[in-house]
Amino acid sequence: MLALSGAAGAVALCGAGAVASAADRNAAGVGTLDAVKAAASASSACMSLTTEQIEGPYYIDYELFRKNVVEDRTGIPLVLVLRAVDGSTCEPLRNSAIEIWHCDASGVYSGYTQVGNGGGTPPGPPPSGTPTAPPDGPGGGVGGGHATPTDDLTWLRGIQMTDHQGFVTFRTVFPGWYTGRAVHVHTKVHTGGSRTSDGYTGGRTCHTGQFYFSEDSVKATMDIACYSANTVPRVPLDQDSIYPGTGTQGGLLKLVHDKGHIERGVIGHITMAVDPGATNDGEGAPGGPAPTASPSPSA
């Protein structure tokens, strides 16, 4: 049985002041992680390039090298096992970098807590930074153009160098939802550079994409305390304006979790086939129109 959180249940993970770092405690699910990596490594079939998608307005180039990106966020423990391979040779991309960022269980992004999740009032404590002007227009700009940060918070953002098999593993929380989008995680793959004291230096961003979750898994989170408190209407996956509907190639994660107790934790895994020599920074990538319902995140 998968158990990322030991004895911790929904109340412990989502109660006031609780921190969803349970995925690091007891390290249950290690065997499952090994099995996921082994299955991915054993696959020798070449695949179509993973779909390029828009960066969205809430990317911040922090380059925080870390495996655990949770900080003080509450939610269902999520382990992301991500692999990057060369789409032409299917060889793993060693010593490249994979970056992720996503909203918390309430549908709010760090760096943009003044924007909220579409309901008008950002949940949680006030930002610690000096707010600047909020982004103009719905979602911070047409086509997901970059929005000006409103605070200096950094949770649920991180980057890691790939190992010799092209893998990185992030410990985070299952994302919530906000106005206009299905539940998702953003990603970038960087190649040709190296890690230095200043972050990731040189090279290029060869892939910008998004990861998605099955409808069944998202519905299972809706009765968990910190997710059920979100009153913003949720967009189903098949109605999302950006998800291309192409399964794994379009970013749909393969998920492992206890079907009756998703609060115990989830492992999401995917292999991204990319062109390591290309530059795909997410500007002008396919993604559909930006939602216009309210001044909230659009990508």
Side-chain angles (χ1 to χ4, degrees), residues 11 42 46 62 90 115 121 131 141 144 156 164 190 208 222 231 245 250 261 266 286:
V11 175
C46 282
Y62 282 146
C90 288
V115 177
T121 303
L156 309 183
H164 69 286
H190 307 278
T208 299
M222 296 179 69
T231 60
H261 297 279
V266 179

Side-chain angles (χ1 to χ4, degrees), residues 39-117:
S41 299
S43 177
S44 60
C46 282
M47 58 193 77
S48 300
L49 289 176
T50 302
T51 305
E52 298 299 326
Q53 298 179 46
I54 62 172
E55 176 184 280
Y58 300 107
Y59 175 65
I60 303 176
D61 189 15
Y62 282 146
E63 294 186 351
L64 298 170
F65 277 92
R66 55 186 183 175
K67 181 176 183 177
N68 187 330
V69 303
V70 175
E71 296 188 20
D72 66 347
R73 293 298 90 184
T74 60
I76 297 167
L78 170 66
V79 175
L80 288 175
V81 181
L82 311 176
R83 192 185 194 210
V85 301
D86 186 316
S88 297
T89 66
C90 288
E91 292 296 318
L93 293 184
R94 303 177 177 88
N95 296 317
S96 296
I98 297 179
E99 186 173 14
I100 64 164
W101 70 101
H102 63 86
C103 69
D104 66 5
S106 299
V108 178
Y109 283 86
S110 64
Y112 297 92
T113 57
Q114 293 296 306
V115 177
N117 66 354

Side-chain angles (χ1 to χ4, degrees), residues 17-251:
V19 177
S21 59
D24 278 331
R25 295 200 302 269
N26 301 328
V30 169
T32 307
L33 287 173
D34 290 342
V36 165
K37 288 186 175 182
S41 299
S43 177
S44 60
C46 282
M47 58 193 77
S48 300
L49 289 176
T50 302
T51 305
E52 298 299 326
Q53 298 179 46
I54 62 172
E55 176 184 280
Y58 300 107
Y59 175 65
I60 303 176
D61 189 15
Y62 282 146
E63 294 186 351
L64 298 170
F65 277 92
R66 55 186 183 175
K67 181 176 183 177
N68 187 330
V69 303
V70 175
E71 296 188 20
D72 66 347
R73 293 298 90 184
T74 60
I76 297 167
L78 170 66
V79 175
L80 288 175
V81 181
L82 311 176
R83 192 185 194 210
V85 301
D86 186 316
S88 297
T89 66
C90 288
E91 292 296 318
L93 293 184
R94 303 177 177 88
N95 296 317
S96 296
I98 297 179
E99 186 173 14
I100 64 164
W101 70 101
H102 63 86
C103 69
D104 66 5
S106 299
V108 178
Y109 283 86
S110 64
Y112 297 92
T113 57
Q114 293 296 306
V115 177
N117 66 354
T121 303
S128 60
T130 301
T132 58
D136 295 327
V142 176
H146 188 263
T148 303
T150 66
D151 59 73
D152 62 358
L153 301 178
T154 61
W155 30 262
L156 309 183
R157 298 176 182 271
I159 186 172
Q160 287 189 68
M161 301 298 292
T162 58
D163 64 16
H164 69 286
Q165 293 182 315
F167 284 106
V168 298
T169 301
F170 286 100
R171 294 185 180 275
T172 183
V173 297
F174 202 104
W177 57 91
Y178 52 80
T179 302
R181 289 301 314 279
V183 176
H184 63 283
V185 172
H186 292 268
T187 190
K188 286 181 180 286
V189 178
H190 307 278
T191 56
S194 60
R195 179 178 179 177
T196 70
S197 59
D198 296 324
Y200 188 79
T201 303
R204 65 191 63 81
T205 300
C206 73
H207 172 67
T208 299
Q210 299 184 31
F211 303 133
Y212 301 92
F213 299 81
S214 68
E215 271 294 292
D216 287 345
S217 67
V218 175
K219 287 179 179 178
T221 71
M222 296 179 69
D223 291 329
I224 308 301
C226 47
Y227 299 87
S228 63
N230 187 352
T231 60
V232 171
R234 185 181 67 83
V235 175
L237 183 61
D238 62 2
Q239 295 179 27
D240 188 73
S241 62
I242 295 177
Y243 173 58
T246 52
T248 301
Q249 184 182 357

